[in-house]
Amino acid sequence: MDIASDSLDVGGGGASLGQGSPSGHAAPPVARTFLDSLIDAGILIPTGVDGIYGRSRVYEAIAEGMDALITEIGADQQAEMMRFPPTTPRNDFEDSEYLKSFPQLAGIVHSFCGNDHEHFRLVARLERGEDWTDQLRPTRVVLTPAACYPVYPVLARRGPLPPEGRVVDVFSYCFRHEPSIEPTRMQMFRMREYVRLGTPEQILAFRQMWIERGQKLADDLEVPHTLDLANDPFFGRGGKLVADNQRDLKLKFELLIPVNDGAPPTACMSFNYHVDHFSTVWPLRTADGEKAHTGCAAFGIDRLTLALLRNHGLDLSGWPRGVRALLGGI
Amino acid sequence: MDIASDSLDVGGGGASLGQGSPSGHAAPPVARTFLDSLIDAGILIPTGVDGIYGRSRVYEAIAEGMDALITEIGADQQAEMMRFPPTTPRNDFEDSEYLKSFPQLAGIVHSFCGNDHEHFRLVARLERGEDWTDQLRPTRVVLTPAACYPVYPVLARRGPLPPEGRVVDVFSYCFRHEPSIEPTRMQMFRMREYVRLGTPEQILAFRQMWIERGQKLADDLEVPHTLDLANDPFFGRGGKLVADNQRDLKLKFELLIPVNDGAPPTACMSFNYHVDHFSTVWPLRTADGEKAHTGCAAFGIDRLTLALLRNHGLDLSGWPRGVRALLGGI
């Protein structure tokens, strides 16, 4: 679990980017925000929905460079690589208790399952500009909320962990329903994680090691950064207590980098200890038959990409030479 | 548009893979199907939902090699690279007329937008094993149905095309609600496309060139293949007429490779001429102010990966040396 939780939450579907602002069309307006400047430079392509952007070749080169660099940093982990698509089974999602903690962020996929007659009605309503979505039914899949979620039920089916536990390397598009005009708060974004399963000692040592590696990575990327205790954005009034408890137990740390205009720095990496949450939901056991503990080091690929663009500029040729080399010579 | 349409359609949510079949656990069963053998080898990881699989390092190395090879083949296209996330605006999707043609395949994202009280009710229903999904509301996004869909409304906002038209390079996860036990019919899969916008002559020349490049690619990959006229799986009784018309006008060709057990070969590439469909929906215009025509060459990255595994075996060390070299030395 790694719900990167900035303290700042702009928006909630308020201001829209509108349909305009294509790059290279008429004189560029004065860049009012970082988002505007990314759009004016053609690095992000607005779609009319906040938090859903197309991205340019430059953006993708940085993102791919970041991903490859994290692979390199984790090469000694002997991790099992697993790649899941951005949808995951609804029954596992329901079991995970995500809906208890973050119902507001979930995305459940619905489809049309009707016949010819119902289809005729759907199309007619659509053409009249009426709502037609009550003809949809929930499917067996939901959008993946965090890259590590599909891993736990899959590993639980394999039986007990080996004595050394396991490390799994995951990467996924993730969805969170939180439309925002902060470019770092996309509705769909890429998350890379190393997930650790084992004893409490194994998880805590893993997390500490990755906190140090994360800080060194941010140093190497030459971006200002701080590490801070954090909590996930648990929903509602009851959520406040859960969040306080998470802080008291020091379960979540975030590496923060300044990205957005006049806003606190953004969580670009997080280092999480889930205690036995996932082995309470699924029968994940250590070699000794104990409930396995889990943790993860999560890297927000899109947030790191934006952090680099913010701190080194939109023109790669002006970036520090060492940073470009680190990212594969972009 | 590039709804790869095999004539065969196994399943429809029938037989499930169940929760079992992890690899390397007890003696492997006799492989009954290609899917079984992929799971037994740990190349695909079942999740309990047909058409949603985790994938191993080997699978991803092949898929990435395919993607890079297609980049190389299209390097002369001077294409503008655009990368969109796997969700796209619902209003564009509604405008696109996809729901007229393929309502059964669409995926609309729903979220919970309630308050504390409604959340309490949701969790209580979930815990009692009751349906809770009527508390969800449709969001402004849908799952991307084909990689090229987000491109047209974005380009329409840029004004008329240049005289030479445009080529856009896209890659996306796509969703189609068609649960199946055929491994080539995933619910979420990756599609790479070159999209051409311009005059009818430009589109037809582009399509012919990519048909030839596609055939050469399949030759180079040393897989058996045939090219065939095809149609998309238009919904319902009325859909039959539309499909016949699409065939009569020779709008869609597919490159087919044998993959599945005892089944006709699978469409792994498609070469499409959309005529003026997208410029009827969005104001895409040529430099002369005419309605732009569009077409695309689409590569099913997951289907091509499976085609290679089927035809060359699950052990890369037994593959033809030239094929491994082509895919970046995997």
Side-chain angles (χ1 to χ4, degrees), chain B residues 176-214:
Chain B
R176 291 184 193 159
H177 186 242
E178 47 176 358
S180 166
I181 55 168
E182 273 197 348
T184 49
R185 198 172 289 282
M186 293 184 181
Q187 292 198 60
M188 275 212 102
F189 55 92
R190 286 164 285 186
M191 191 190 293
R192 176 78 186 272
E193 292 187 52
Y194 289 100
V195 187
R196 183 77 170 100
L197 303 96
T199 64
E201 297 70 31
Q202 286 169 337
I203 311 305
L204 286 168
F206 171 88
R207 187 175 67 164
Q208 186 54 38
M209 180 189 70
W210 275 102
I211 286 176
E212 287 158 23
R213 289 185 180 189

Side-chain angles (χ1 to χ4, degrees), chain A residues 19 48 52-53 55 57 79 83 85 87 94 99-100 106 108 110-111 116 119 127 132 140 157 237, chain B residues 19 48 52-53 55 57 79 83 85 87 94 99-100 106 108 110-111 116 119 127 132 140 157 237:
Chain A
Q19 305 285 315
I52 304 285
Y53 307 102
R55 282 101 32 160
R57 188 184 300 275
R83 293 289 180 265
T87 55
E94 290 174 345
L99 288 163
K100 247 188 203 171
I108 289 84
H110 285 49
S111 286
D116 251 333
H119 180 224
E127 283 177 353
W132 54 277
R140 293 182 62 195
R157 289 176 209 138
R237 276 172 299 177
Chain B
Q19 306 284 315
I52 304 286
Y53 307 103
R55 283 103 28 162
R57 187 184 300 275
R83 292 290 179 266
T87 55
E94 290 174 347
L99 288 163
K100 248 188 202 170
I108 288 83
H110 284 49
S111 286
D116 250 335
H119 180 224
E127 282 177 353
W132 54 277
R140 292 182 63 194
R157 287 176 210 139
R237 276 172 298 178

Side-chain angles (χ1 to χ4, degrees), chain B residues 255-308:
Chain B
L255 188 137
L256 306 156
I257 305 175
V259 184
N260 293 303
D261 309 283
T266 298
C268 295
M269 309 178 196
S270 73
F271 309 96
N272 304 281
Y273 178 28
H274 315 134
V275 195
D276 61 358
H277 175 73
F278 291 111
S279 58
T280 300
V281 174
W282 292 289
L284 289 161
R285 297 292 174 264
T286 65
D288 296 336
E290 300 292 318
K291 286 170 81 174
H293 283 221
T294 66
C296 64
F299 300 85
I301 297 293
D302 289 285
R303 287 187 173 184
L304 285 164
T305 301
L306 291 164
L308 287 164

Side-chain angles (χ1 to χ4, degrees), chain A residues 95-111:
Chain A
D95 291 345
S96 75
E97 304 199 331
Y98 188 89
L99 288 163
K100 247 188 203 171
S101 300
F102 316 108
Q104 77 282 21
L105 301 177
I108 289 84
V109 180
H110 285 49
S111 286

